[in-house]
Amino acid sequence: MHVVVVGGGVSGAVAAYRLRGALGDGAAITLVEATDSLGGKLRTAEVAGVRYDVGAEAFLARRPEGVGLAAELGLELVHPGKARSTVRAGGSVAPLPGRTLMGIPGSPDAVAEVLSDAGRARVAAEPDLPPVTLESDTALGALLRERFGDELVDRLVDPLLGGVYAGGADGLGLRATVPALATAIDRGAPSLTAAAASLIPATPSSAPVFGTLPGGLGTLVDRLVELAKPDIRLGRPVTALRRRESGWQLEIGDELIDADAVLLAVPAPAARKLLDGVAPAASSALGEVELASMAVVAMALPPGTELPDASGVLIGARERRADGEPFAAKAFTFSTRKWPHLDTGPVLVRGSVGRFREPGALHRDDDDLVRLVRDDLAELTGITAEPIDVVVTRWGGGLPQYGPGHLDLVERAERAVAEVPGLALAGAALHGVGVPACIATATAAATRVTSQLVR
């Protein structure tokens, strides 16, 4: 029995691990990765001798999949300290408001500190507008701008969404990005304010929101692969996928591999190409998923460098520096402040660059990119210290965009793949871009494969 998993990111690694657990040591599992390393967006690098995440840095700890898998693998979890997040809004830095749903307030008081008088008035007036109705999916930005005005979107919602998707509200769909809000409206909430208020707990939970691994999230993939024991093929993209009478054949360079089942855990463009001849409806649907590129500039500053008393700062796309130029960075993470386990040795800071359809500074070479990010850091914090180490990591097409109608695209793709025996689909293009969502899709895909192979 032979299963080939295509894609060596966290989704592929989880799938291989689940397949090994279900099929036992007698099964052959091949893990094929087009690049020269496993992990995908989970990448831990050495920065000034410290293991430091230069891709995803954390996962939602209030979803069960990540926490549960870490416990299952015997991996220690750590959580952020008490430093608060901030946002650069209207030319100044303010604490990131609490008691909102992805920046959507349950009351105007919740966002008062980041809006102008006119912006607060627009938010306060939203409940008095005609009841909001949704006949289908809609662009989140268009809906919020119509109801609340531009300021709330530009100063708060967009910076928050940019940290998750590298895209703003105008290009993202309501039902895929804030599904609970859509459900509240469908159930009769008369306004967006009322819908958000119904979803925000009266007493905030004391449970940690995020978690990570002290050795970096790359250790999660390392442990999964160690236990899955697959035959690993690196730097070998799959160029063709063909159905055979008794299974599958994959073309990897000049090599042909036969398999009983195939699990695709690759970005949407790669899945589209491979599915073109075997599940054309799925290929067509995935072809409509757009991607955003980004980069992470990881800097180790000299020990003792004084950081703001915050875990980081989000930056709206319309914010400007004192010289009138836009910021190159969309966010900074003050990792030494955010994560207590990193509060020793060099002072670690990450600058994130890149927004959907606004590559901006991503066109610059690494040296120029570092210079621009350092200038932004100096503008926001006054920090001008020369880094003792810098690592630039670029993620071309790294984040899928969940545009209006995304859930329909995914349903079409999954329905078409379900009609093909021995084929399954997983990954960030489906039901969420975060680590827990990827774990969930990989587990479901592995279950589909094993249910067909073990009867």
Side-chain angles (χ1 to χ4, degrees):
M1 188 181 302
H2 183 200
V3 182
V4 175
V5 177
V6 184
V10 65
S11 299
V14 170
Y17 168 72
R18 295 298 186 203
L19 288 167
R20 178 62 69 201
L23 300 177
D25 290 339
I29 300 172
T30 300
L31 182 60
V32 184
E33 167 56 38
T35 69
D36 60 3
S37 63
L38 298 176
K41 307 308 177 295
L42 305 193
R43 184 178 299 176
T44 305
E46 291 281 335
V47 182
V50 179
R51 289 181 58 81
Y52 190 39
D53 284 315
V54 295
E57 61 144 7
F59 59 84
L60 278 173
R62 292 182 183 177
R63 277 193 62 156
E65 296 91 348
V67 173
L69 183 60
E72 185 179 332
L73 299 175
L75 298 174
E76 176 191 1
L77 276 184
V78 291
H79 303 287
K82 295 181 179 180
R84 288 187 62 182
S85 297
T86 60
V87 60
R88 164 76 178 227
S92 61
V93 175
L96 193 66
R99 303 197 57 73
T100 74
L101 184 70
M102 196 57 76
I104 303 165
S107 74
D109 291 343
V111 293
E113 289 187 61
V114 298
L115 301 181
S116 67
D117 290 344
R120 288 193 291 270
R122 283 294 305 268
V123 170
E126 194 272 338
D128 297 326
L129 295 176
V132 61
T133 58
L134 300 174
E135 294 184 2
S136 61
D137 200 6
T138 185
L140 179 61
L143 177 64
L144 296 182
R145 291 183 192 279
E146 177 187 354
R147 304 284 301 189
F148 291 116
D150 292 335
E151 248 188 36
L152 180 75
V153 177
D154 295 339
R155 295 190 180 188
L156 188 55
V157 178
D158 265 2
L160 283 165
L161 290 171
V164 179
Y165 296 98
D170 295 316
L172 296 171
L174 169 66
R175 293 192 182 277
T177 54
V178 199
L181 189 74
T183 299
I185 295 168
D186 290 339
R187 290 176 177 172
S191 67
L192 295 183
T193 303
S198 72
L199 299 166
I200 298 169
T203 303
S205 172
S206 60
V209 178
F210 297 105
T212 195
L213 304 178
L217 284 179
T219 58
L220 174 64
V221 173
D222 294 342
R223 181 64 174 154
L224 288 166
V225 172
E226 176 190 355
L227 295 174
K229 299 180 291 233
D231 176 20
I232 300 172
R233 310 291 180 90
L234 294 178
R236 305 284 299 280
V238 177
T239 54
L241 176 63
R242 291 183 283 269
R243 289 195 69 183
R244 295 169 61 87
E245 184 175 343
S246 59
W248 296 88
Q249 186 175 77
L250 298 92
E251 190 172 322
I252 307 177
D254 57 0
E255 180 184 9
L256 298 177
I257 296 180
D258 293 325
D260 298 295
V262 175
L263 193 155
L264 299 180
V266 292
R272 178 190 64 77
K273 292 177 182 177
L274 293 176
L275 292 170
D276 187 39
V278 296
S283 173
S284 175
L286 292 173
E288 297 182 45
V289 177
E290 298 186 89
L291 304 178
S293 298
M294 63 171 295
V296 172
V297 177
M299 297 178 286
L301 304 176
T305 301
E306 190 65 28
L307 288 175
D309 187 15
S311 63
V313 58
L314 303 173
I315 306 165
R318 301 195 185 191
E319 294 295 307
R320 292 294 181 266
R321 294 153 44 100
D323 60 7
E325 291 297 311
F327 287 89
K330 64 178 183 180
F332 284 95
T333 303
F334 306 139
S335 302
T336 295
R337 290 279 195 202
K338 182 174 182 177
W339 301 103
H341 71 282
L342 295 177
D343 190 15
T344 58
V347 173
L348 298 171
V349 174
R350 287 170 34 131
S352 299
V353 181
R355 291 182 171 91
F356 181 53
R357 292 180 178 165
E358 296 179 17
L362 290 180
H363 287 314
R364 307 294 189 99
D365 64 24
D366 284 1
D367 289 343
D368 228 9
L369 187 61
V370 171
R371 178 183 62 79
L372 290 170
V373 168
R374 288 190 61 204
D375 286 348
D376 286 353
L377 182 65
E379 173 96 7
L380 291 165
T381 68
I383 294 172
T384 59
E386 185 79 24
I388 57 180
D389 195 11
V390 178
V391 174
V392 177
T393 308
R394 295 177 183 266
W395 301 103
L399 285 171
Q401 299 299 289
Y402 284 18
H406 180 79
L407 297 182
D408 292 336
L409 295 182
V410 172
E411 196 275 332
R412 282 164 45 201
E414 292 182 328
R415 184 174 64 242
V417 167
E419 295 173 356
V420 184
L423 182 65
L425 194 61
L430 302 178
H431 298 288
V433 299
V435 172
C438 289
I439 293 170
T441 65
T443 299
T447 299
R448 167 175 162 75
V449 167
T450 55
S451 68
Q452 295 179 353
L453 294 178
V454 181
R455 297 182 184 276

Short mmCIF file of all heavy atoms in Angstrom, two decimals, residues 86 297 299 311-315 327 329-335 349-352 372-378 380-381:
data_model
loop_
_atom_site.label_atom_id
_atom_site.label_comp_id
_atom_site.label_asym_id
_atom_site.label_seq_id
_atom_site.Cartn_x
_atom_site.Cartn_y
_atom_site.Cartn_z
N THR A 86 -0.47 47.14 19.58
CA THR A 86 -0.83 48.52 19.27
C THR A 86 -1.09 48.65 17.78
O THR A 86 -0.82 47.74 17.00
CB THR A 86 0.28 49.50 19.68
OG1 THR A 86 1.49 49.17 18.96
CG2 THR A 86 0.56 49.43 21.17
N VAL A 297 11.32 40.46 7.66
CA VAL A 297 12.67 40.92 7.96
C VAL A 297 12.89 40.71 9.45
O VAL A 297 12.32 41.42 10.29
CB VAL A 297 12.85 42.40 7.58
CG1 VAL A 297 14.26 42.88 7.96
CG2 VAL A 297 12.60 42.60 6.09
N MET A 299 15.21 40.77 12.66
CA MET A 299 16.39 41.52 13.11
C MET A 299 16.72 41.20 14.55
O MET A 299 15.83 41.16 15.41
CB MET A 299 16.12 43.02 12.98
CG MET A 299 15.88 43.50 11.56
SD MET A 299 15.50 45.27 11.46
CE MET A 299 13.82 45.29 12.11
N SER A 311 3.60 44.43 22.44
CA SER A 311 4.01 43.21 21.74
C SER A 311 4.29 43.45 20.27
O SER A 311 4.91 42.63 19.60
CB SER A 311 2.92 42.14 21.89
OG SER A 311 1.72 42.57 21.27
N GLY A 312 3.82 44.61 19.76
CA GLY A 312 4.05 44.93 18.36
C GLY A 312 3.14 46.07 17.94
O GLY A 312 2.40 46.64 18.75
N VAL A 313 3.21 46.40 16.66
CA VAL A 313 2.38 47.48 16.13
C VAL A 313 1.92 47.11 14.72
O VAL A 313 2.70 46.66 13.90
CB VAL A 313 3.14 48.83 16.13
CG1 VAL A 313 4.43 48.76 15.33
CG2 VAL A 313 2.25 49.95 15.61
N LEU A 314 0.62 47.27 14.47
CA LEU A 314 0.05 47.11 13.15
C LEU A 314 0.01 48.48 12.47
O LEU A 314 -0.14 49.51 13.13
CB LEU A 314 -1.37 46.55 13.24
CG LEU A 314 -1.53 45.22 13.97
CD1 LEU A 314 -3.01 44.88 14.13
CD2 LEU A 314 -0.81 44.11 13.21
N ILE A 315 0.12 48.48 11.13
CA ILE A 315 0.21 49.74 10.40
C ILE A 315 -0.80 49.70 9.26
O ILE A 315 -0.74 48.82 8.39
CB ILE A 315 1.63 49.95 9.84
CG1 ILE A 315 2.67 49.84 10.94
CG2 ILE A 315 1.72 51.32 9.14
CD1 ILE A 315 4.09 49.69 10.43
N PHE A 327 4.57 53.72 4.69
CA PHE A 327 5.43 52.77 5.37
C PHE A 327 5.68 51.56 4.47
O PHE A 327 4.78 51.11 3.77
CB PHE A 327 4.79 52.29 6.68
CG PHE A 327 4.80 53.32 7.77
CD1 PHE A 327 3.77 54.23 7.91
CD2 PHE A 327 5.86 53.37 8.66
CE1 PHE A 327 3.78 55.18 8.92
CE2 PHE A 327 5.89 54.32 9.69
CZ PHE A 327 4.84 55.23 9.81
N ALA A 329 6.65 48.65 5.85
CA ALA A 329 6.17 47.54 6.66
C ALA A 329 4.67 47.67 6.92
O ALA A 329 4.12 48.78 6.95
CB ALA A 329 6.91 47.51 7.99
N LYS A 330 4.02 46.54 7.08
CA LYS A 330 2.61 46.56 7.48
C LYS A 330 2.46 46.23 8.97
O LYS A 330 1.39 46.43 9.54
CB LYS A 330 1.81 45.55 6.66
CG LYS A 330 2.22 44.11 6.89
CD LYS A 330 1.39 43.14 6.09
CE LYS A 330 1.81 41.70 6.41
NZ LYS A 330 1.03 40.72 5.67
N ALA A 331 3.53 45.73 9.58
CA ALA A 331 3.48 45.41 11.01
C ALA A 331 4.89 45.14 11.52
O ALA A 331 5.78 44.74 10.76
CB ALA A 331 2.61 44.19 11.26
N PHE A 332 5.08 45.37 12.81
CA PHE A 332 6.27 44.93 13.51
C PHE A 332 5.84 44.08 14.70
O PHE A 332 4.85 44.39 15.38
CB PHE A 332 7.08 46.12 14.03
CG PHE A 332 7.87 46.83 12.97
CD1 PHE A 332 7.35 47.95 12.35
CD2 PHE A 332 9.13 46.38 12.61
CE1 PHE A 332 8.06 48.61 11.37
CE2 PHE A 332 9.86 47.04 11.64
CZ PHE A 332 9.32 48.15 11.01
N THR A 333 6.59 43.02 14.96
CA THR A 333 6.42 42.22 16.17
C THR A 333 7.65 42.42 17.05
O THR A 333 8.78 42.16 16.60
CB THR A 333 6.26 40.73 15.85
OG1 THR A 333 5.17 40.54 14.96
CG2 THR A 333 6.01 39.93 17.13
N PHE A 334 7.44 42.91 18.24
CA PHE A 334 8.53 43.08 19.20
C PHE A 334 8.64 41.76 19.98
O PHE A 334 8.16 41.64 21.11
CB PHE A 334 8.25 44.26 20.12
CG PHE A 334 7.94 45.55 19.38
CD1 PHE A 334 6.93 46.40 19.82
CD2 PHE A 334 8.65 45.90 18.25
CE1 PHE A 334 6.65 47.58 19.15
CE2 PHE A 334 8.37 47.08 17.56
CZ PHE A 334 7.37 47.93 18.02
N SER A 335 9.29 40.80 19.36
CA SER A 335 9.24 39.42 19.86
C SER A 335 9.80 39.28 21.26
O SER A 335 9.30 38.47 22.06
CB SER A 335 9.98 38.49 18.89
OG SER A 335 9.41 38.58 17.60
N VAL A 349 13.21 41.50 16.74
CA VAL A 349 12.11 42.25 16.14
C VAL A 349 11.87 41.71 14.73
O VAL A 349 12.82 41.43 14.00
CB VAL A 349 12.43 43.76 16.06
CG1 VAL A 349 11.34 44.51 15.31
CG2 VAL A 349 12.63 44.34 17.45
N ARG A 350 10.59 41.55 14.37
CA ARG A 350 10.21 41.15 13.01
C ARG A 350 9.45 42.28 12.33
O ARG A 350 8.52 42.83 12.91
CB ARG A 350 9.26 39.94 13.03
CG ARG A 350 9.85 38.63 13.39
CD ARG A 350 8.80 37.57 13.60
NE ARG A 350 7.62 37.68 12.76
CZ ARG A 350 7.10 36.68 12.06
NH1 ARG A 350 7.67 35.49 12.09
NH2 ARG A 350 6.02 36.84 11.34
N GLY A 351 9.84 42.60 11.11
CA GLY A 351 9.06 43.51 10.29
C GLY A 351 8.42 42.73 9.16
O GLY A 351 9.09 41.96 8.47
N SER A 352 7.11 42.88 8.98
CA SER A 352 6.37 42.18 7.92
C SER A 352 6.06 43.17 6.80
O SER A 352 5.61 44.29 7.05
CB SER A 352 5.07 41.59 8.46
OG SER A 352 5.33 40.65 9.48
N LEU A 372 14.64 50.06 4.36
CA LEU A 372 13.31 50.66 4.47
C LEU A 372 12.62 50.24 5.77
O LEU A 372 11.97 51.05 6.43
CB LEU A 372 12.46 50.26 3.27
CG LEU A 372 12.87 50.88 1.93
CD1 LEU A 372 12.12 50.22 0.78
CD2 LEU A 372 12.61 52.38 1.93
N VAL A 373 12.75 48.96 6.11
CA VAL A 373 12.11 48.46 7.33
C VAL A 373 12.76 49.10 8.56
O VAL A 373 12.06 49.47 9.52
CB VAL A 373 12.18 46.92 7.37
CG1 VAL A 373 11.80 46.39 8.75
CG2 VAL A 373 11.25 46.32 6.31
N ARG A 374 14.06 49.25 8.54
CA ARG A 374 14.73 49.92 9.67
C ARG A 374 14.29 51.38 9.78
O ARG A 374 14.13 51.90 10.90
CB ARG A 374 16.25 49.82 9.52
CG ARG A 374 16.81 48.42 9.76
CD ARG A 374 18.33 48.46 9.81
NE ARG A 374 18.76 49.31 10.91
CZ ARG A 374 19.96 49.91 10.96
NH1 ARG A 374 20.81 49.78 9.95
NH2 ARG A 374 20.29 50.66 11.99
N ASP A 375 14.12 52.04 8.64
CA ASP A 375 13.63 53.42 8.68
C ASP A 375 12.23 53.48 9.30
O ASP A 375 11.93 54.40 10.07
CB ASP A 375 13.60 54.00 7.27
CG ASP A 375 14.99 54.33 6.73
OD1 ASP A 375 15.95 54.31 7.52
OD2 ASP A 375 15.11 54.58 5.51
N ASP A 376 11.38 52.54 8.94
CA ASP A 376 10.04 52.49 9.53
C ASP A 376 10.11 52.27 11.03
O ASP A 376 9.37 52.89 11.80
CB ASP A 376 9.22 51.36 8.90
CG ASP A 376 8.76 51.67 7.48
OD1 ASP A 376 8.94 52.80 7.02
OD2 ASP A 376 8.22 50.74 6.83
N LEU A 377 10.98 51.36 11.44
CA LEU A 377 11.12 51.08 12.87
C LEU A 377 11.58 52.33 13.62
O LEU A 377 11.07 52.65 14.71
CB LEU A 377 12.11 49.94 13.09
CG LEU A 377 12.33 49.49 14.53
CD1 LEU A 377 11.06 48.90 15.12
CD2 LEU A 377 13.48 48.47 14.61
N ALA A 378 12.52 53.07 13.03
CA ALA A 378 12.99 54.30 13.67
C ALA A 378 11.87 55.33 13.75
O ALA A 378 11.73 56.04 14.76
CB ALA A 378 14.18 54.86 12.88
N LEU A 380 8.66 54.79 13.97
CA LEU A 380 7.63 54.39 14.92
C LEU A 380 8.12 54.35 16.37
O LEU A 380 7.33 54.58 17.29
CB LEU A 380 7.09 53.01 14.53
CG LEU A 380 6.27 52.94 13.24
CD1 LEU A 380 6.12 51.50 12.79
CD2 LEU A 380 4.91 53.59 13.43
N THR A 381 9.38 54.01 16.56
CA THR A 381 9.87 53.73 17.92
C THR A 381 11.08 54.56 18.34
O THR A 381 11.42 54.56 19.52
CB THR A 381 10.26 52.25 18.04
OG1 THR A 381 11.43 52.01 17.23
CG2 THR A 381 9.13 51.34 17.59
#
